[in-house]
Amino acid sequence: MSSLPKPLAVAALTAAVLAAPLTQALAAPVAAPRPKLVVVISIDQFGSSLFEQYRADFHGGLGRLARQGTVYPSGYQSHGMTETCPGHSTLLTGKSPNKTGIVANDFYDLATGQKTYCLADPSVTLANDPSGGGRLVSPKLLMADTYGDWLKAVSPASRVYAVSGKDRGAINMAGHHADGVFWLETRFGMTTWVEPGQDAKARLAPVAAFNARLVADQKTHPFTWTYGDKRCAALEDDYVTGGRAWRAALPRPAPKDEAAATDDLAVSPYTDRVTLDAAQMLRDQFKLGDGEATDVLAISLSATDFIGHRFGSKGPEMCDHLMRLDDRLGVFLDSLDKVKGPVLVVLAADHGGSDFPERLAQQGYDAGRVPPVQWLKDLNAAVRQQLRLAYDPLVQAGGIESLYVVGADGKAPTAGDHARVTAAALAILDKRPEVFAAYDANALVTAAPPPKGTPPDEISVAERMRRSAYPGRVGDILVAFQPYLTPASAGATYVASHGSPWNYDRRVPILFWWKGGPARERVLPIETVDIAPTLAAVTGVPVPADVDGRCLPLGAGPGC
């Protein structure tokens, strides 16, 4: 049920959906789009539950896509480790993480004994910090090409740009051969990576003027997050998470210092507003979609994820953010009226999410937390005792869902030690009540996939985890915790998480919209890996033979 009840709007929407089959039967056959500009939007942590909760209240850009587009309310990230980096890697490659190589936000490098970021590349620098500071990233670790790469291989004149609030949102969607890939450093503006021999100023040239205006605007018109829609105040309440009492309400308490002020600004609707401003600027500056070749503009909107982690997904903060995002996305879609060629807009998400467990427990759900540090400490103690080891044989990099077996030096163990530790740990985990199942990653890698055509909501949990298992990067033991158990402790800036193989983290809306296209509801499940083959079909681009996705018919009839 929507948090902003509108009985008349809901009734009208219901009537429209019910009438749709008759209307479509009487209408002229639907022609598939033939776009000159493909705009792909990912809303980070925008699960189907959020889409359904607020759908009747969207009257801006989200409302336009939902009411005038082809709507798949049950899209699925088909893998089990549902995080931002792997989720974005599926959207435009047509492949699951066991082929993209992007298994989690972080992985453990057994060769070096170091935690490694999903897109780490120490050979580059950042354009905003040529000294080598910050998180050094590039597409180097993405082991698959994207739709933009496919397109440029057959149409060199095509341009591909990507923007995001996060590096992993922009890079994974852009691929290896994009013309510009930018993400937000809140007090600086949009940045990118710089390879050896490249000039940072030249790399930033497309966004230099935008960045200057952004910094000036922050000084003269600082953003303060108060209610844009006062109806969201009805969701205010008091909570205790991790021993901290706090009130879910706007405006937020004043930050204690400049660093906290910058963090608060990032964890607000400001991030998506700036990202959409940058996307609009790039479209206008480079006249994307105005020429003969097809162009691509990928946009990853990160604020929903930032806000979901800090405040949860069912409070006034998320409510107000989504209303603001709906409005700002409407402005962006209006700006696409200037494009000379046809435009196809796709909207999806990298993963879903559940609310923080304390609020879920108040609502009657059997929700709770698994404290990760103590949990791993206890598991290591049990394995050490059983095998009489003098060191902890299990480590994690991005979460206790993915455990790596190490030797005494923290690196790859001998084959014998690996087998002994894995077997002992799996036997212990099999008896733990908080664990649904634990899997030997090596066995998953060699397991046969389910029959072709198995719906994504019907595949086993083991299969979901298999699709996250890229050899050499994924953990040796993959753990699926019981539903609604969050393997993360609550902190002052982190109360809710995602990353599980359960449908609340996997199920996302997927929408296709083009001017003059039909309003259709397609309720059977599809997968995010279907997006890239679908775009390739409507733009005449060959698809690699090893993609996991399939083309979805956007025109009349069942074929592409």
Side-chain angles (χ1 to χ4, degrees):
M1 184 173 68
S2 170
S3 63
L4 304 177
K6 293 182 182 176
L8 293 179
V10 173
L13 177 62
T14 302
V17 171
L18 292 174
L22 177 60
T23 302
Q24 292 168 23
L26 298 176
V30 175
R34 292 290 180 260
K36 291 301 180 183
L37 175 60
V38 174
V39 178
V40 184
I41 303 169
S42 169
I43 302 180
D44 200 324
Q45 203 183 137
F46 189 55
S48 290
S49 62
L50 271 183
F51 175 65
E52 290 161 349
Q53 180 181 357
Y54 289 101
R55 183 173 180 178
D57 302 298
F58 291 143
H59 298 286
L62 290 169
R64 184 185 310 179
L65 299 179
R67 292 181 176 86
Q68 300 177 10
T70 297
V71 179
Y72 293 89
S74 293
Y76 281 86
Q77 292 281 2
S78 289
H79 54 280
M81 295 170 61
T82 45
E83 294 185 331
T84 297
C85 212
H88 276 93
S89 81
T90 73
L91 294 177
L92 289 178
T93 63
K95 298 180 179 180
S96 294
N98 64 334
K99 292 181 180 177
T100 69
I102 307 297
V103 299
N105 290 344
D106 301 280
F107 67 94
Y108 191 83
D109 188 337
L110 287 166
T112 63
Q114 298 291 323
K115 175 180 175 179
T116 303
Y117 183 59
C118 60
L119 295 172
D121 185 353
S123 72
V124 305
T125 58
L126 295 183
N128 63 300
D129 188 0
S131 67
R135 188 161 61 197
L136 307 181
V137 292
S138 82
K140 183 178 180 180
L141 293 182
L142 177 63
M143 309 307 292
D145 289 335
T146 64
Y147 164 70
D149 296 326
W150 308 345
L151 175 65
K152 289 178 77 69
V154 297
S155 175
S158 294
R159 282 86 50 84
V160 177
Y161 285 89
V163 291
S164 176
K166 299 179 182 179
D167 54 29
R168 55 188 179 267
I171 293 171
N172 277 307
M173 294 179 74
H176 299 274
H177 303 292
D179 298 272
V181 184
F182 304 101
W183 60 91
L184 181 63
E185 292 290 339
T186 304
R187 296 298 188 187
F188 174 83
M190 291 290 167
T191 190
T192 191
W193 76 89
V194 182
E195 297 176 6
Q198 292 181 332
D199 178 69
K201 185 176 181 180
R203 293 279 286 164
L204 282 177
V207 294
F210 176 86
N211 288 348
R213 291 194 300 271
L214 182 69
V215 172
D217 187 66
Q218 287 179 346
K219 294 178 180 178
T220 57
H221 302 94
F223 177 80
T224 301
W225 191 8
T226 57
Y227 285 116
D229 193 317
K230 293 183 179 179
R231 294 172 297 174
C232 295
L235 297 176
E236 290 185 1
D237 210 340
D238 296 298
Y239 300 97
V240 176
T241 56
R244 175 179 67 100
W246 58 284
R247 182 166 180 78
L250 296 176
R252 300 300 306 154
K256 296 180 180 179
D257 52 37
E258 186 62 26
T262 299
D263 192 50
D264 285 354
L265 185 60
V267 187
S268 80
Y270 177 84
T271 291
D272 284 357
R273 189 187 80 185
V274 170
T275 303
L276 286 167
D277 287 348
Q280 190 170 330
M281 177 275 298
L282 289 170
R283 202 312 301 174
D284 293 344
Q285 178 177 336
F286 293 103
K287 307 298 182 184
L288 303 179
D290 286 358
E292 292 299 317
T294 298
D295 299 320
V296 179
L297 178 58
I299 307 166
S300 174
L301 301 171
S302 306
T304 306
D305 188 68
F306 291 154
I307 292 165
H309 281 304
R310 181 176 288 190
F311 305 112
S313 59
K314 302 300 181 184
E317 306 92 348
M318 185 63 76
C319 171
D320 187 77
H321 160 63
L322 290 177
M323 296 302 103
R324 289 173 176 269
L325 176 57
D326 179 43
D327 288 342
R328 182 59 188 85
L329 189 57
V331 174
F332 173 75
L333 294 181
D334 286 343
S335 76
L336 298 180
D337 288 342
K338 296 184 293 184
V339 180
K340 293 181 180 179
V343 178
L344 173 62
V345 177
V346 186
L347 185 140
D350 57 343
H351 55 76
S354 65
D355 200 14
F356 60 84
E358 291 81 4
R359 185 154 54 197
L360 290 174
Q362 288 181 6
Q363 297 167 354
Y365 294 96
D366 189 14
R369 294 185 183 275
V370 179
V373 174
Q374 188 62 49
W375 184 87
L376 184 55
K377 182 179 180 180
D378 292 344
L379 178 60
N380 267 316
V383 175
R384 288 180 62 167
Q385 181 181 23
Q386 181 174 327
L387 300 181
R388 298 183 180 181
L389 298 175
Y391 68 96
D392 287 341
L394 297 168
V395 300
Q396 60 86 24
I400 54 175
E401 303 93 337
S402 183
L403 303 176
Y404 298 78
V405 178
V406 298
D409 60 357
K411 298 180 182 180
T414 65
D417 285 346
H418 179 278
R420 289 196 308 138
V421 171
T422 299
L426 287 172
I428 294 168
L429 291 171
D430 186 56
K431 299 176 182 178
R432 299 293 289 265
E434 75 278 10
V435 174
F436 174 83
Y439 305 93
D440 181 342
N442 284 338
L444 290 177
V445 168
T446 57
K452 186 175 181 180
T454 302
D457 55 340
E458 300 291 343
I459 61 174
S460 68
V461 176
E463 172 61 18
R464 299 170 196 183
M465 301 305 264
R466 186 190 72 84
R467 297 184 189 189
S468 286
Y470 187 88
R473 294 187 188 172
V474 77
D476 299 291
I477 298 171
L478 303 185
V479 183
F481 290 93
Q482 297 286 358
Y484 298 106
L485 286 187
T486 299
S489 299
T493 59
Y494 195 100
V495 299
S497 191
H498 51 81
S500 81
W502 305 114
N503 285 350
Y504 52 78
D505 280 346
R506 299 172 60 238
R507 183 170 168 256
V508 299
I510 300 177
L511 295 78
F512 295 85
W513 174 92
W514 64 97
K515 187 173 290 187
R520 299 180 291 196
E521 191 88 2
R522 291 180 167 171
V523 298
L524 296 183
I526 62 169
E527 302 174 73
T528 56
V529 292
D530 297 334
I531 294 172
T534 302
L535 295 178
V538 298
T539 53
V541 174
V543 177
D546 63 339
V547 298
D548 296 313
R550 63 187 177 91
C551 174
L552 303 171
L554 296 185
C560 287

